Amino acid sequence: MIYTKEEIKQLDRITRLKIINSVSGIKPANLIGSANNNGKTNLAIFSSVVHLGSDPALLGFICRPRTSEVGHTYTNIQENGQYTINHIHPEFIKNAHYTSGKFDEDISEFKRCNLSEEYMKDFKAPFVKESSFKMGMRFKEAIDIKLNGTILVIGEIDHLILPDASLVDNDIDLEATNSVGISGLNSYYSLNKIEKYPYVKVNEVPEF
């Protein structure tokens, strides 16, 4: 099956969204928690969280083009400079999925989707209590992507919370975290470790 650029453009909107959102493979499924300066909380599912650097520890995610109905996550982050990134686990995939709805600003997805707010001392953004792998983030930079009007939001990890059993030989075993992945708009996958190899040194590359 081969699609040209023109044929992709001719697909109906939903089909195009599902296909193009899947071509990069399985992506991390995360809930981003935030709050405005009046204490109103917001929770939204994202599949675009990406590692940007280890020192400082930076993560980025993409905000879609904003309208008057959406964009509460970005607005909240701009207000108080803090947010959380929470892994999604099988026990609450359904709850997490429905946070993607375009709820009014005065409706908290935490309450509407039956997920619990959790706070750490001196950190204003809400964590997802049901998640065992989560990060408290401090906003650092926003980069406008002119090609499609999206925004790359960059933050630094301020708090890292993860299961004790997931740290093996100074490495995180994602299978042990029981985190899930996402593809397209609504398909979720479990993560299974297949193999582990050493850090590559050129003089140690085997013959294939």
Side-chain angles (χ1 to χ4, degrees):
M1 185 179 293
I2 300 174
Y3 286 99
T4 64
K5 176 181 177 180
E6 289 72 25
E7 289 169 334
I8 292 172
K9 285 184 176 181
Q10 290 172 9
L11 295 170
D12 68 88
R13 178 177 175 273
I14 298 300
T15 300
R16 186 172 64 251
L17 278 172
K18 287 183 176 181
I19 290 176
I20 301 304
N21 269 279
S22 299
V23 296
S24 60
I26 306 300
K27 296 166 288 188
N30 289 288
L31 286 167
I32 294 184
S34 62
N36 65 19
N37 286 338
N38 294 321
K40 292 181 179 178
T41 60
N42 183 78
L43 189 66
I45 188 168
F46 283 83
S47 63
S48 60
V49 174
V50 61
H51 162 83
L52 295 178
S54 299
D55 187 16
L58 301 178
L59 298 176
F61 73 94
I62 298 293
C63 280
R64 294 175 296 176
R66 287 170 292 140
T67 68
S68 58
E69 289 80 31
V70 298
H72 302 144
T73 296
Y74 182 70
T75 302
N76 290 349
I77 291 172
Q78 290 291 295
E79 277 194 24
N80 71 25
Q82 299 178 350
Y83 57 103
T84 67
I85 298 177
N86 308 265
H87 283 210
I88 296 170
H89 307 301
E91 297 78 13
F92 58 93
I93 292 175
K94 184 175 181 179
N95 309 65
H97 175 74
Y98 280 92
T99 65
S100 61
K102 297 178 181 178
F103 297 102
D104 292 335
E105 185 179 8
D106 60 348
I107 297 176
S108 173
E109 291 83 358
F110 277 99
K111 184 175 181 179
R112 182 64 183 84
C113 298
N114 195 29
L115 291 165
S116 309
E117 298 177 19
E118 184 177 52
Y119 291 89
M120 293 189 67
K121 184 179 179 181
D122 299 325
F123 199 81
K124 295 181 287 186
F127 293 85
V128 176
K129 186 175 182 179
E130 289 79 2
S131 175
S132 62
F133 193 142
K134 43 203 169 189
M135 291 150 282
M137 307 294 299
R138 290 191 184 275
F139 172 73
K140 291 297 180 181
E141 185 178 1
I143 299 174
D144 291 322
I145 300 175
K146 296 180 175 60
L147 284 172
N148 62 358
T150 56
I151 302 169
L152 172 61
V153 179
I154 301 173
E156 183 174 358
I157 298 175
D158 195 70
H159 295 81
L160 175 59
I161 304 161
L162 66 163
D164 293 340
S166 67
L167 198 59
V168 181
D169 297 328
N170 296 320
D171 195 4
I172 293 176
D173 184 340
L174 288 174
E175 184 175 359
T177 70
N178 208 25
S179 299
V180 303
I182 188 171
S183 178
L185 301 177
N186 51 4
S187 297
Y188 297 86
Y189 296 81
S190 61
L191 304 178
N192 299 308
K193 181 188 283 187
I194 298 173
E195 189 55 272
K196 182 177 180 179
Y197 295 103
Y199 179 82
V200 175
K201 297 180 180 179
V202 173
N203 62 346
E204 296 177 357
V205 174
E207 297 295 330
F208 294 99

